[in-house]
Amino acid sequence: PGFSMKPVCPDEVKERYLDELMKLQEQIALCEQTIAYFEQLESQVELAAVPDAMEIREELVKRGYMNAQKSGIRRRKGKQIPHFTVFDIEGTLVYLGKNNIQNEYLTRTLARKDDLWFHTKDLHGSHVICTDPQPDERLLRICAMLAAYYSQGRFSSSVPVNYCPVRQLKKVPGSAPGAVTMQHYRTIYMDPSQKEVTEIIRQYQKLLAVDEVSLTFDDGALEAIAERALEKKTGARALRAIIEEFMLDIMYEIPKDDNIGSVEITRAY
C-alpha cells in the first residue's frame, strides 16, 4: 500500500514558529520582571528593621511566594497602617518608605498632590515624601540624600534622584505595590553618605512611639514573654524580638489618639 504526504505550506510553518517565538519572548519578559522584583526585595531587606521585614514577608504571602505563618499575636481588624519612618525637619514632615507596602501607602494614600516625591532614577529604592512643596536647598538635599541612601545606589557616587509633585505620578497597572511613572520631574545628583544619614536620623527622626504615655506590663504578660523567649532559646535577642513584634501596633496607634494616657500589656494581648 502506498502513502501520501500532505503538502506543507511555508506560510503555516512560519506562522507556527512565530507563535512559539512570541510565547518564548513573553516567558523571558516575565522571568526578567520576576528577577527584578526579587532584586528589589533583596535591596530592601538589607536595610530593613524588624517591622519592615515583617511587611516584606506579608507582601510575599499576598503574592503567593510564601505561605502564611501562624502567629500568637492578636492583630486589630481592618487595614493596618504600614510602619514607615517619619522625620520632623524644623517643622516639615518628611516620610520615608523602606519597602513596597510602605512606598505604596505613602505615595497613594498619605501624600497630598502638592507634596514632593523623591526616588532614585533607574534604581530600586525608597519613596521619600516632603510635605513642603517648595523646600529650601537644605531640605531638598536632605530628602534627596535619604532617597539615594535607601536605594540600590547607596554605595555609588553621583546617584541621580528624581523629584516631582505627587500629582505627576501615575500607578503602573498590574505592577507590584509602589510602582509608578512620572510625567515631569527634575533630577539632583547625590553622593550617599552613611555618616550624613545617621546624623539626619539622630536629629530629626520622629519616633512614633509611646510618647507621654504610661506603659506597664502585668505579671501575666511578663510570664508570657519569658515563656516565649525560653521556647526560642536565644536569650535576650528573643526577648527583644518578641516585644518588638507585639509593640508594633501599639506604637503606631497611640499617636492617633490624644486621649490615651496609659497602656497596660496583659497576657491575653
Side-chain angles (χ1 to χ4, degrees):
F3 63 90
S4 61
M5 295 180 62
K6 183 180 179 180
V8 177
C9 176
D11 288 339
E12 290 180 359
V13 174
K14 180 181 178 181
E15 185 176 348
R16 186 166 66 247
Y17 278 108
L18 285 175
D19 288 342
E20 292 297 326
L21 179 60
M22 289 182 63
K23 291 178 182 178
L24 182 60
Q25 289 175 334
E26 290 175 358
Q27 289 298 316
I28 291 173
L30 180 60
C31 288
E32 289 176 342
Q33 291 174 9
T34 303
I35 290 171
Y37 172 68
F38 280 100
E39 286 177 344
Q40 178 187 43
L41 294 187
E42 181 183 24
S43 66
Q44 293 173 356
V45 168
E46 289 175 356
L47 290 171
V50 172
D52 307 320
M54 291 173 64
E55 288 171 346
I56 291 171
R57 178 183 174 81
E58 176 187 335
E59 178 184 342
L60 289 170
V61 169
K62 287 181 178 179
R63 293 176 68 87
Y65 290 112
M66 295 183 71
N67 294 324
Q69 190 176 43
K70 291 184 178 180
S71 172
I73 305 301
R74 179 171 61 84
R75 298 294 183 187
R76 291 178 174 82
K77 293 182 179 180
K79 191 172 182 179
Q80 300 296 317
I81 295 177
H83 301 94
F84 55 90
T85 304
V86 181
F87 299 91
D88 186 343
I89 303 175
E90 298 173 1
T92 297
L93 294 180
V94 173
Y95 306 123
L96 169 71
K98 292 197 288 183
N99 59 44
N100 294 337
I101 290 177
Q102 294 175 17
N103 289 341
E104 177 80 5
Y105 177 78
L106 292 181
T107 301
R108 306 295 299 175
T109 303
L110 185 62
R112 300 167 300 185
K113 293 186 181 299
D114 289 335
D115 291 345
L116 285 185
W117 177 88
F118 295 75
H119 192 281
T120 46
K121 181 180 180 181
D122 300 328
L123 292 170
H124 297 308
S126 294
H127 290 203
V128 176
I129 303 294
C130 176
T131 58
D132 184 346
Q134 296 180 322
D136 58 23
E137 181 69 17
R138 180 170 175 274
L139 179 56
L140 181 74
R141 294 187 67 84
I142 287 176
C143 294
M145 173 61 74
L146 290 170
Y149 182 79
Y150 287 97
S151 78
Q152 285 183 318
R154 67 182 174 280
F155 298 122
S156 304
S157 59
S158 296
V159 175
V161 177
N162 293 337
Y163 63 98
C164 67
V166 170
R167 65 174 173 273
Q168 297 289 345
L169 304 176
K170 291 188 66 176
K171 171 76 174 175
V172 179
S175 63
V180 295
T181 59
M182 296 170 289
Q183 295 179 338
H184 304 286
Y185 58 89
R186 295 182 178 181
T187 304
I188 184 173
Y189 291 83
M190 302 298 298
D191 293 328
S193 167
Q194 183 176 5
K195 182 179 179 181
E196 288 188 37
V197 170
T198 300
E199 185 63 18
I200 292 170
I201 292 171
R202 187 187 69 80
Q203 288 190 51
Y204 301 116
Q205 184 171 352
K206 182 177 176 64
L207 299 177
L208 298 185
V210 193
D211 297 329
E212 300 179 1
V213 173
S214 173
L215 177 66
T216 59
F217 295 78
D218 70 9
D219 292 340
L222 295 175
E223 290 173 0
I225 293 170
E227 289 166 6
R228 290 282 301 277
L230 287 172
E231 288 175 8
K232 293 178 177 290
K233 298 180 181 179
T234 51
R237 291 177 60 188
L239 282 172
R240 176 175 177 175
I242 293 166
I243 293 172
E244 281 183 340
E245 187 177 4
F246 71 73
M247 283 292 293
L248 291 178
D249 287 340
I250 297 173
M251 291 170 65
Y252 279 81
E253 288 295 330
I254 285 177
K256 302 177 195 174
D257 191 342
D258 294 334
N259 296 319
I260 298 176
S262 64
V263 173
E264 183 179 30
I265 307 298
T266 65
R267 175 183 279 273
Y269 186 86

